[in-house]
Amino acid sequence: MSELTESVQRMMKEFEKLPGIGKKSAERITYYLLKAQTSEALALADSIRLVKERVRYCKRCFNLAEQELCDICRDPHRDTSVICVVEQPRDLISIEQTGVFRGVYHVLLGRVAPLDGITADQLTIDALVRRVRAGGVDEIIMATNPTVEGDGTALLISNQLTDLPVKITRLARGITTGSTLEFANKEMLSDALVGRQNFRGEVKKH
Amino acid sequence: MSELTESVQRMMKEFEKLPGIGKKSAERITYYLLKAQTSEALALADSIRLVKERVRYCKRCFNLAEQELCDICRDPHRDTSVICVVEQPRDLISIEQTGVFRGVYHVLLGRVAPLDGITADQLTIDALVRRVRAGGVDEIIMATNPTVEGDGTALLISNQLTDLPVKITRLARGITTGSTLEFANKEMLSDALVGRQNFRGEVKKH
């Protein structure tokens, strides 16, 4: 598209780099921003700049933060004796949205994935071990993704914590509320059978 | 998502305003930018800022430009006696990509659309009339969209040019290369019949 001016081409290329944005979407966004009020376009540009200037990882749990500690770690009402281990900040958000967890988190910032060249030392596992070793932690809930890599990462972490006096649990697996057995796959059903729970609502203890 | 920091929430909201970007896409882009190198994220922010600082409309034809005149108007090899009238800069790009047009353009920056409150005086029609009146223009090719509004806009313009010694043509309409008659709609087939061309490839003159 040599007919677009240089700066327009550059902007379109930058948008194309974003996930889920193809050539056509980038074009559409480009025309939108060309037509938009300058103030509106600059609000977008500034919001990106601000995030990169302000946002960092919480020093304790590696959640997103704009101060040294994240909002959750600074909240005196959270139970610091239970740490929920997640892969990414977005997983933390999903769990927070359920409203049932009152403990704190530890964000790994990834999962061990040898095929992608991601090894354990690139994650925040050491920091987690230090947190547990420092004491006051009764339970670690593994909430890594229910994938080969997520499970592998959880296993690796539990091995590193094996000498410490802490209970290690993981999220229950089974059929999903609202689904039908007809469409459940084998793994889902076998997880549901193996992890079967008391009918009166009492959750099986690990 | 009160679990996201304030600046992250703001950035996500700004992305959600873009066309074709829903809540999920904005989230995905947000996480991508959080993980991205600062330099990469700032490249996007700066590219938006630069476009709004540099890009304006060509003083003559209202194409996108970074100088007073656009690249096409500054090109001494273009035939300024033929002006192709399009609705938007993107239409100009589509025509340029065919590589068969060597004339110049006039971008209306819209079409007359009473239902959307867009009237003729909001477009660049006056500037087009002045260009033609200034002389040296032999032909105006109407390349507005083949819609009710595009056709109406073209008709309105041709009425304003009626006293001037200029030939007015419009893009040929008919069946599209590669399509089948079976799936052609009535309008397409009637356009193709009315505008039928000589079999030996000579295009019927309007």
Side-chain angles (χ1 to χ4, degrees), chain A residues 152-198:
Chain A
T153 306
L155 188 64
L156 190 145
I157 293 170
S158 75
N159 286 343
Q160 295 206 25
L161 296 173
T162 193
D163 297 333
L164 296 164
V166 64
K167 183 165 78 171
I168 301 176
T169 59
R170 67 166 198 176
L171 294 185
R173 297 203 185 163
I175 51 174
T176 51
T177 302
S179 69
T180 57
L181 287 194
E182 187 180 353
F183 299 112
N185 62 29
K186 269 193 298 190
E187 287 75 20
M188 205 194 285
L189 275 180
S190 83
D191 279 343
L193 281 166
V194 172
R196 63 191 177 278
Q197 298 154 347
N198 284 332

Side-chain angles (χ1 to χ4, degrees), chain A residues 7 33 46 49 52 66, chain B residues 5 7 33 46 49 52 66:
Chain A
S7 64
L33 287 175
D46 291 342
R49 177 174 291 279
K52 296 313 276 192
E66 299 203 4
Chain B
T5 75
S7 63
L33 288 175
D46 291 342
R49 178 175 290 279
K52 297 313 275 191
E66 298 204 4

Side-chain angles (χ1 to χ4, degrees), chain A residues 109-155:
Chain A
L109 298 177
R111 73 268 179 269
V112 178
L115 292 177
D116 299 335
I118 303 170
T119 54
D121 57 300
Q122 289 172 286
L123 308 181
T124 65
I125 298 174
D126 286 352
L128 173 64
V129 175
R130 278 197 299 275
R131 279 177 84 179
V132 177
R133 208 181 292 274
V137 181
D138 298 330
E139 181 179 359
I140 299 282
I141 304 173
M142 294 293 178
T144 50
N145 283 311
T147 59
V148 173
E149 290 170 345
D151 284 345
T153 306
L155 188 64

